Amino acid sequence: MPRYLTRDRVAVVAALAAPLGVAAVLLPFRASWSNTNVALLLVVVIVGVAAIGNRVAGAVAAVWAALWFDFFFTLPYYRFTIRSSADVTTAVLLLVTGLAVSQLAARARRLKVMTVTDAGYLAQIHETASLAKSARVPDVVVDRVKEQLVALLDLDGARFEYGSLLGHPPRLEPDGSVTVGRSRWDVELSGLPAEEVELRTFGNGRYYGRFMLKARPGSRPPLQARLVAVTLADQAGRAFGASQAARSAS
């Protein structure tokens, strides 16, 4: 999280500085460059800022680029006034195009991050599924799933209770939601409950136990992470089921 905050701050600084810097570089060529070419170069700057930052940074860069375009490249110079209708059109198009492409660039960056995250989730599921098939005892899978749950859900710790259903703790449901009693808990707003949350484990339709999850204060794992946690618990359940079937066969 801090890394993304730092990158977004850098992008906001770039959104303020880059359009002015590029305008200053192009200023000596004002007589030989058309305003359309200048506007296109400023659009490139906007896209670059949005690509390294977020939507806000891209929007700031678009507005700043339009203002400096007006100030330096339209008559009367060094005033925020435009006489020519053609320059008005160019300035408006610069602003609108800059806003549009900045949103697209920011969205593309976010989708890339989501794809990388999804790949990480899939790798964990694949690893646990392979372990569940090869492990001779389900405890190996349980221990691995506990480690994964701690990292995945930002937990202080996780433990496994075999076959017990004592009390009525908050529960992580198969759809990724969290319930407390009969009410649904808003994880995005309030984070995971302070008390332990149970995640039940089933294999071949049989209940084998539950993971008890102790969250860090303020932990707010996204729905996608919670669904992966449910899937990992299912893999542990499959390991229990396979072990039980093997014992029955022997």
Side-chain angles (χ1 to χ4, degrees), residues 135-140 162 203-204 206-208 236-250:
R136 295 185 177 182
V137 292
D139 290 352
V140 175
Y162 291 88
N204 297 329
R206 177 179 175 181
Y207 172 76
Y208 286 99
R238 289 189 179 92
F240 280 111
S243 176
Q244 180 68 32
R247 286 197 300 269
S248 298
S250 61

PDB file of all heavy atoms in Angstrom, residues 135-140 162 203-204 206-208 236-250:
ATOM      1  N   ALA A 135      -0.299 -34.868  -0.728  1.00  0.00           N
ATOM      2  CA  ALA A 135      -0.009 -35.026   0.694  1.00  0.00           C
ATOM      3  C   ALA A 135      -0.612 -36.321   1.236  1.00  0.00           C
ATOM      4  O   ALA A 135      -1.753 -36.670   0.922  1.00  0.00           O
ATOM      5  CB  ALA A 135      -0.549 -33.825   1.477  1.00  0.00           C
ATOM      6  N   ARG A 136       0.150 -37.033   2.047  1.00  0.00           N
ATOM      7  CA  ARG A 136      -0.335 -38.287   2.622  1.00  0.00           C
ATOM      8  C   ARG A 136      -1.229 -38.042   3.832  1.00  0.00           C
ATOM      9  O   ARG A 136      -2.078 -38.881   4.165  1.00  0.00           O
ATOM     10  CB  ARG A 136       0.854 -39.165   3.012  1.00  0.00           C
ATOM     11  CG  ARG A 136       1.677 -39.626   1.826  1.00  0.00           C
ATOM     12  CD  ARG A 136       2.765 -40.597   2.260  1.00  0.00           C
ATOM     13  NE  ARG A 136       3.521 -41.097   1.113  1.00  0.00           N
ATOM     14  CZ  ARG A 136       4.500 -41.979   1.206  1.00  0.00           C
ATOM     15  NH1 ARG A 136       4.853 -42.456   2.402  1.00  0.00           N
ATOM     16  NH2 ARG A 136       5.141 -42.379   0.120  1.00  0.00           N
ATOM     17  N   VAL A 137      -0.999 -36.921   4.517  1.00  0.00           N
ATOM     18  CA  VAL A 137      -1.846 -36.579   5.673  1.00  0.00           C
ATOM     19  C   VAL A 137      -2.396 -35.170   5.471  1.00  0.00           C
ATOM     20  O   VAL A 137      -1.695 -34.281   4.987  1.00  0.00           O
ATOM     21  CB  VAL A 137      -1.047 -36.657   6.997  1.00  0.00           C
ATOM     22  CG1 VAL A 137      -0.684 -38.093   7.314  1.00  0.00           C
ATOM     23  CG2 VAL A 137       0.199 -35.795   6.928  1.00  0.00           C
ATOM     24  N   PRO A 138      -3.671 -34.946   5.818  1.00  0.00           N
ATOM     25  CA  PRO A 138      -4.278 -33.623   5.590  1.00  0.00           C
ATOM     26  C   PRO A 138      -3.668 -32.513   6.437  1.00  0.00           C
ATOM     27  O   PRO A 138      -3.792 -31.338   6.093  1.00  0.00           O
ATOM     28  CB  PRO A 138      -5.750 -33.853   5.937  1.00  0.00           C
ATOM     29  CG  PRO A 138      -5.774 -35.070   6.794  1.00  0.00           C
ATOM     30  CD  PRO A 138      -4.642 -35.919   6.339  1.00  0.00           C
ATOM     31  N   ASP A 139      -2.988 -32.874   7.546  1.00  0.00           N
ATOM     32  CA  ASP A 139      -2.394 -31.836   8.395  1.00  0.00           C
ATOM     33  C   ASP A 139      -1.394 -30.967   7.628  1.00  0.00           C
ATOM     34  O   ASP A 139      -1.244 -29.783   7.921  1.00  0.00           O
ATOM     35  CB  ASP A 139      -1.679 -32.480   9.589  1.00  0.00           C
ATOM     36  CG  ASP A 139      -2.663 -33.084  10.585  1.00  0.00           C
ATOM     37  OD1 ASP A 139      -3.875 -32.863  10.398  1.00  0.00           O
ATOM     38  OD2 ASP A 139      -2.220 -33.762  11.526  1.00  0.00           O
ATOM     39  N   VAL A 140      -0.718 -31.564   6.674  1.00  0.00           N
ATOM     40  CA  VAL A 140       0.242 -30.798   5.865  1.00  0.00           C
ATOM     41  C   VAL A 140      -0.480 -29.710   5.083  1.00  0.00           C
ATOM     42  O   VAL A 140      -0.015 -28.562   5.008  1.00  0.00           O
ATOM     43  CB  VAL A 140       0.998 -31.739   4.901  1.00  0.00           C
ATOM     44  CG1 VAL A 140       1.907 -30.941   3.974  1.00  0.00           C
ATOM     45  CG2 VAL A 140       1.789 -32.778   5.669  1.00  0.00           C
ATOM     46  N   TYR A 162     -10.406 -29.131  14.940  1.00  0.00           N
ATOM     47  CA  TYR A 162     -10.896 -30.340  14.300  1.00  0.00           C
ATOM     48  C   TYR A 162     -12.272 -30.703  14.837  1.00  0.00           C
ATOM     49  O   TYR A 162     -12.452 -30.930  16.039  1.00  0.00           O
ATOM     50  CB  TYR A 162      -9.923 -31.497  14.545  1.00  0.00           C
ATOM     51  CG  TYR A 162      -8.610 -31.345  13.821  1.00  0.00           C
ATOM     52  CD1 TYR A 162      -7.550 -30.659  14.412  1.00  0.00           C
ATOM     53  CD2 TYR A 162      -8.426 -31.865  12.543  1.00  0.00           C
ATOM     54  CE1 TYR A 162      -6.340 -30.509  13.744  1.00  0.00           C
ATOM     55  CE2 TYR A 162      -7.220 -31.725  11.876  1.00  0.00           C
ATOM     56  CZ  TYR A 162      -6.193 -31.042  12.483  1.00  0.00           C
ATOM     57  OH  TYR A 162      -5.002 -30.889  11.833  1.00  0.00           O
ATOM     58  N   GLY A 203     -15.376 -31.671   3.161  1.00  0.00           N
ATOM     59  CA  GLY A 203     -14.832 -32.539   2.124  1.00  0.00           C
ATOM     60  C   GLY A 203     -15.815 -33.650   1.817  1.00  0.00           C
ATOM     61  O   GLY A 203     -16.265 -34.351   2.733  1.00  0.00           O
ATOM     62  N   ASN A 204     -16.202 -33.783   0.553  1.00  0.00           N
ATOM     63  CA  ASN A 204     -17.196 -34.782   0.144  1.00  0.00           C
ATOM     64  C   ASN A 204     -18.498 -34.641   0.931  1.00  0.00           C
ATOM     65  O   ASN A 204     -19.141 -35.625   1.320  1.00  0.00           O
ATOM     66  CB  ASN A 204     -16.644 -36.205   0.314  1.00  0.00           C
ATOM     67  CG  ASN A 204     -15.436 -36.462  -0.570  1.00  0.00           C
ATOM     68  OD1 ASN A 204     -15.323 -35.891  -1.661  1.00  0.00           O
ATOM     69  ND2 ASN A 204     -14.525 -37.309  -0.106  1.00  0.00           N
ATOM     70  N   ARG A 206     -18.894 -33.628   3.940  1.00  0.00           N
ATOM     71  CA  ARG A 206     -18.739 -33.873   5.379  1.00  0.00           C
ATOM     72  C   ARG A 206     -17.951 -32.734   6.020  1.00  0.00           C
ATOM     73  O   ARG A 206     -16.956 -32.260   5.465  1.00  0.00           O
ATOM     74  CB  ARG A 206     -18.029 -35.207   5.600  1.00  0.00           C
ATOM     75  CG  ARG A 206     -17.767 -35.522   7.068  1.00  0.00           C
ATOM     76  CD  ARG A 206     -17.087 -36.868   7.214  1.00  0.00           C
ATOM     77  NE  ARG A 206     -16.724 -37.129   8.607  1.00  0.00           N
ATOM     78  CZ  ARG A 206     -16.102 -38.223   9.040  1.00  0.00           C
ATOM     79  NH1 ARG A 206     -15.779 -39.181   8.165  1.00  0.00           N
ATOM     80  NH2 ARG A 206     -15.795 -38.374  10.306  1.00  0.00           N
ATOM     81  N   TYR A 207     -18.395 -32.333   7.209  1.00  0.00           N
ATOM     82  CA  TYR A 207     -17.710 -31.286   7.955  1.00  0.00           C
ATOM     83  C   TYR A 207     -16.524 -31.886   8.717  1.00  0.00           C
ATOM     84  O   TYR A 207     -16.671 -32.887   9.424  1.00  0.00           O
ATOM     85  CB  TYR A 207     -18.669 -30.615   8.938  1.00  0.00           C
ATOM     86  CG  TYR A 207     -18.005 -29.646   9.892  1.00  0.00           C
ATOM     87  CD1 TYR A 207     -17.618 -28.384   9.454  1.00  0.00           C
ATOM     88  CD2 TYR A 207     -17.751 -30.007  11.207  1.00  0.00           C
ATOM     89  CE1 TYR A 207     -16.995 -27.501  10.316  1.00  0.00           C
ATOM     90  CE2 TYR A 207     -17.133 -29.130  12.074  1.00  0.00           C
ATOM     91  CZ  TYR A 207     -16.753 -27.870  11.622  1.00  0.00           C
ATOM     92  OH  TYR A 207     -16.126 -26.998  12.472  1.00  0.00           O
ATOM     93  N   TYR A 208     -15.341 -31.262   8.576  1.00  0.00           N
ATOM     94  CA  TYR A 208     -14.136 -31.773   9.233  1.00  0.00           C
ATOM     95  C   TYR A 208     -13.576 -30.833  10.299  1.00  0.00           C
ATOM     96  O   TYR A 208     -12.835 -31.267  11.176  1.00  0.00           O
ATOM     97  CB  TYR A 208     -13.042 -32.045   8.198  1.00  0.00           C
ATOM     98  CG  TYR A 208     -13.313 -33.291   7.390  1.00  0.00           C
ATOM     99  CD1 TYR A 208     -13.873 -33.211   6.120  1.00  0.00           C
ATOM    100  CD2 TYR A 208     -13.025 -34.555   7.890  1.00  0.00           C
ATOM    101  CE1 TYR A 208     -14.133 -34.352   5.377  1.00  0.00           C
ATOM    102  CE2 TYR A 208     -13.278 -35.709   7.171  1.00  0.00           C
ATOM    103  CZ  TYR A 208     -13.836 -35.602   5.906  1.00  0.00           C
ATOM    104  OH  TYR A 208     -14.112 -36.738   5.181  1.00  0.00           O
ATOM    105  N   ALA A 236      -8.364 -27.869   1.671  1.00  0.00           N
ATOM    106  CA  ALA A 236      -8.057 -28.621   2.889  1.00  0.00           C
ATOM    107  C   ALA A 236      -9.135 -29.671   3.135  1.00  0.00           C
ATOM    108  O   ALA A 236      -8.840 -30.804   3.542  1.00  0.00           O
ATOM    109  CB  ALA A 236      -7.947 -27.665   4.083  1.00  0.00           C
ATOM    110  N   GLY A 237     -10.392 -29.294   2.883  1.00  0.00           N
ATOM    111  CA  GLY A 237     -11.483 -30.253   3.041  1.00  0.00           C
ATOM    112  C   GLY A 237     -11.342 -31.436   2.102  1.00  0.00           C
ATOM    113  O   GLY A 237     -11.616 -32.590   2.482  1.00  0.00           O
ATOM    114  N   ARG A 238     -10.903 -31.169   0.881  1.00  0.00           N
ATOM    115  CA  ARG A 238     -10.696 -32.264  -0.072  1.00  0.00           C
ATOM    116  C   ARG A 238      -9.590 -33.204   0.413  1.00  0.00           C
ATOM    117  O   ARG A 238      -9.650 -34.421   0.206  1.00  0.00           O
ATOM    118  CB  ARG A 238     -10.353 -31.696  -1.448  1.00  0.00           C
ATOM    119  CG  ARG A 238     -11.524 -31.022  -2.132  1.00  0.00           C
ATOM    120  CD  ARG A 238     -11.205 -30.680  -3.577  1.00  0.00           C
ATOM    121  NE  ARG A 238     -12.351 -30.047  -4.229  1.00  0.00           N
ATOM    122  CZ  ARG A 238     -12.555 -28.748  -4.295  1.00  0.00           C
ATOM    123  NH1 ARG A 238     -11.676 -27.916  -3.768  1.00  0.00           N
ATOM    124  NH2 ARG A 238     -13.635 -28.265  -4.894  1.00  0.00           N
ATOM    125  N   ALA A 239      -8.561 -32.634   1.033  1.00  0.00           N
ATOM    126  CA  ALA A 239      -7.486 -33.476   1.567  1.00  0.00           C
ATOM    127  C   ALA A 239      -8.021 -34.376   2.678  1.00  0.00           C
ATOM    128  O   ALA A 239      -7.662 -35.563   2.759  1.00  0.00           O
ATOM    129  CB  ALA A 239      -6.349 -32.594   2.095  1.00  0.00           C
ATOM    130  N   PHE A 240      -8.876 -33.823   3.549  1.00  0.00           N
ATOM    131  CA  PHE A 240      -9.500 -34.650   4.587  1.00  0.00           C
ATOM    132  C   PHE A 240     -10.347 -35.750   3.958  1.00  0.00           C
ATOM    133  O   PHE A 240     -10.321 -36.918   4.389  1.00  0.00           O
ATOM    134  CB  PHE A 240     -10.374 -33.794   5.494  1.00  0.00           C
ATOM    135  CG  PHE A 240      -9.613 -33.043   6.543  1.00  0.00           C
ATOM    136  CD1 PHE A 240      -9.492 -31.668   6.512  1.00  0.00           C
ATOM    137  CD2 PHE A 240      -9.020 -33.737   7.604  1.00  0.00           C
ATOM    138  CE1 PHE A 240      -8.799 -30.981   7.483  1.00  0.00           C
ATOM    139  CE2 PHE A 240      -8.316 -33.060   8.596  1.00  0.00           C
ATOM    140  CZ  PHE A 240      -8.204 -31.664   8.525  1.00  0.00           C
ATOM    141  N   GLY A 241     -11.144 -35.363   2.926  1.00  0.00           N
ATOM    142  CA  GLY A 241     -12.002 -36.333   2.268  1.00  0.00           C
ATOM    143  C   GLY A 241     -11.222 -37.440   1.614  1.00  0.00           C
ATOM    144  O   GLY A 241     -11.586 -38.630   1.698  1.00  0.00           O
ATOM    145  N   ALA A 242     -10.130 -37.099   0.959  1.00  0.00           N
ATOM    146  CA  ALA A 242      -9.290 -38.104   0.290  1.00  0.00           C
ATOM    147  C   ALA A 242      -8.650 -39.027   1.319  1.00  0.00           C
ATOM    148  O   ALA A 242      -8.545 -40.258   1.113  1.00  0.00           O
ATOM    149  CB  ALA A 242      -8.226 -37.408  -0.545  1.00  0.00           C
ATOM    150  N   SER A 243      -8.229 -38.470   2.443  1.00  0.00           N
ATOM    151  CA  SER A 243      -7.612 -39.281   3.492  1.00  0.00           C
ATOM    152  C   SER A 243      -8.632 -40.252   4.095  1.00  0.00           C
ATOM    153  O   SER A 243      -8.323 -41.427   4.346  1.00  0.00           O
ATOM    154  CB  SER A 243      -7.040 -38.373   4.580  1.00  0.00           C
ATOM    155  OG  SER A 243      -6.521 -39.120   5.661  1.00  0.00           O
ATOM    156  N   GLN A 244      -9.861 -39.747   4.299  1.00  0.00           N
ATOM    157  CA  GLN A 244     -10.901 -40.597   4.849  1.00  0.00           C
ATOM    158  C   GLN A 244     -11.254 -41.726   3.890  1.00  0.00           C
ATOM    159  O   GLN A 244     -11.427 -42.887   4.290  1.00  0.00           O
ATOM    160  CB  GLN A 244     -12.145 -39.752   5.137  1.00  0.00           C
ATOM    161  CG  GLN A 244     -13.324 -40.521   5.730  1.00  0.00           C
ATOM    162  CD  GLN A 244     -13.043 -41.003   7.139  1.00  0.00           C
ATOM    163  OE1 GLN A 244     -12.317 -40.337   7.882  1.00  0.00           O
ATOM    164  NE2 GLN A 244     -13.587 -42.155   7.504  1.00  0.00           N
ATOM    165  N   ALA A 245     -11.333 -41.402   2.597  1.00  0.00           N
ATOM    166  CA  ALA A 245     -11.638 -42.418   1.584  1.00  0.00           C
ATOM    167  C   ALA A 245     -10.537 -43.470   1.527  1.00  0.00           C
ATOM    168  O   ALA A 245     -10.811 -44.685   1.369  1.00  0.00           O
ATOM    169  CB  ALA A 245     -11.817 -41.746   0.222  1.00  0.00           C
ATOM    170  N   ALA A 246      -9.290 -43.052   1.660  1.00  0.00           N
ATOM    171  CA  ALA A 246      -8.172 -43.995   1.623  1.00  0.00           C
ATOM    172  C   ALA A 246      -8.211 -44.938   2.806  1.00  0.00           C
ATOM    173  O   ALA A 246      -7.960 -46.148   2.676  1.00  0.00           O
ATOM    174  CB  ALA A 246      -6.846 -43.234   1.580  1.00  0.00           C
ATOM    175  N   ARG A 247      -8.541 -44.394   3.976  1.00  0.00           N
ATOM    176  CA  ARG A 247      -8.634 -45.251   5.169  1.00  0.00           C
ATOM    177  C   ARG A 247      -9.780 -46.253   5.041  1.00  0.00           C
ATOM    178  O   ARG A 247      -9.667 -47.410   5.440  1.00  0.00           O
ATOM    179  CB  ARG A 247      -8.805 -44.388   6.420  1.00  0.00           C
ATOM    180  CG  ARG A 247      -7.534 -43.662   6.844  1.00  0.00           C
ATOM    181  CD  ARG A 247      -7.625 -43.182   8.274  1.00  0.00           C
ATOM    182  NE  ARG A 247      -8.749 -42.248   8.454  1.00  0.00           N
ATOM    183  CZ  ARG A 247      -8.637 -40.933   8.327  1.00  0.00           C
ATOM    184  NH1 ARG A 247      -7.465 -40.397   7.995  1.00  0.00           N
ATOM    185  NH2 ARG A 247      -9.682 -40.154   8.511  1.00  0.00           N
ATOM    186  N   SER A 248     -10.898 -45.776   4.474  1.00  0.00           N
ATOM    187  CA  SER A 248     -12.061 -46.675   4.307  1.00  0.00           C
ATOM    188  C   SER A 248     -11.740 -47.785   3.327  1.00  0.00           C
ATOM    189  O   SER A 248     -12.126 -48.945   3.529  1.00  0.00           O
ATOM    190  CB  SER A 248     -13.257 -45.860   3.818  1.00  0.00           C
ATOM    191  OG  SER A 248     -13.624 -44.876   4.748  1.00  0.00           O
ATOM    192  N   ALA A 249     -11.001 -47.456   2.273  1.00  0.00           N
ATOM    193  CA  ALA A 249     -10.650 -48.459   1.265  1.00  0.00           C
ATOM    194  C   ALA A 249      -9.710 -49.504   1.815  1.00  0.00           C
ATOM    195  O   ALA A 249      -9.780 -50.702   1.473  1.00  0.00           O
ATOM    196  CB  ALA A 249     -10.027 -47.781   0.044  1.00  0.00           C
ATOM    197  N   SER A 250      -8.799 -49.079   2.729  1.00  0.00           N
ATOM    198  CA  SER A 250      -7.836 -50.035   3.268  1.00  0.00           C
ATOM    199  C   SER A 250      -8.462 -50.886   4.378  1.00  0.00           C
ATOM    200  O   SER A 250      -7.955 -51.951   4.679  1.00  0.00           O
ATOM    201  CB  SER A 250      -6.627 -49.282   3.825  1.00  0.00           C
ATOM    202  OG  SER A 250      -7.020 -48.409   4.876  1.00  0.00           O
TER     203      SER A 250
END
